[in-house]
Amino acid sequence: MVRRSKCYANSHAEPFWSHFKVKLLDGGHFHDLAEAKLEVSHHIACNNAERRHSALDYLALNQFVIQLNNTSLLCLA
């Protein structure tokens, strides 16, 4: 976390929550807490697997992590 006066405190989280509100909630509601947890975890998993990020050279987060781990393993050898 950064100090309150810094404007970049939530800059990485804002796009995620914006997509979350538009795609998942869309004015609807959940019947119970279990349904809400299931939908939120599914949304996060899909977001990490599909959504491309310009900061990660237009890779999805899961692809970036795999590539990073492979590169790290090569450096150890």
Side-chain angles (χ1 to χ4, degrees):
M1 297 298 291
V2 296
R3 293 179 191 241
R4 197 170 32 168
S5 63
K6 302 294 182 186
C7 63
Y8 300 111
N10 295 321
S11 62
H12 298 291
E14 289 300 323
F16 171 80
W17 289 115
S18 174
H19 288 277
F20 178 79
K21 290 175 186 176
V22 171
K23 291 183 179 179
L24 184 62
L25 299 180
D26 195 26
H29 65 280
F30 301 110
H31 295 290
D32 57 9
L33 183 60
E35 181 185 6
K37 286 181 177 180
L38 180 65
E39 289 296 326
V40 169
S41 64
H42 178 71
H43 178 77
I44 291 171
C46 288
N47 184 66
N48 289 344
E50 297 171 3
R51 188 164 172 265
R52 309 278 184 239
H53 300 272
S54 60
L56 303 177
D57 198 24
Y58 294 97
L59 293 173
L61 183 60
N62 290 354
Q63 293 172 326
F64 178 77
V65 169
I66 290 170
Q67 183 179 5
L68 182 66
N69 287 338
N70 289 340
T71 303
S72 297
L73 289 175
L74 291 174
C75 291
L76 293 176

